Amino acid sequence: MRGLGIALLVIGVILLVFGLNARDSMASSVKEAFTGNPTDRAIWLLVGGAALTVVGGATLFVGNRKRA
């Protein structure tokens, strides 16, 4: 269970980094100038990264509490 939590946490952080990079991209800047919103890809990467980071952290926390 600990390995799964670490994997989810790492993947979540990676997705957050990709999401932040996508949000700062030229395509996202152009779309944001016209619509006020970043690209859908950037939003999904940020949302998915945040969700996986929370789930991974919770898995590590709950997994450690059960063994203690």
Side-chain angles (χ1 to χ4, degrees):
M1 198 67 152
R2 184 174 178 201
L4 177 64
I6 291 171
L8 290 175
L9 192 62
V10 168
I11 293 169
V13 170
I14 291 170
L15 286 177
L16 281 172
V17 169
F18 281 141
L20 290 173
N21 286 337
R23 187 171 183 269
D24 292 335
S25 71
M26 183 63 150
S28 186
S29 296
V30 170
K31 182 180 178 199
E32 195 167 352
F34 288 106
T35 66
N37 297 322
T39 61
D40 291 342
R41 180 177 182 254
I43 292 172
W44 281 112
L45 285 169
L46 290 169
V47 169
L52 285 178
T53 302
V54 169
V55 170
T59 302
L60 284 175
F61 180 72
V62 171
N64 285 340
R65 287 188 62 193
K66 287 183 179 178
R67 281 189 272 163

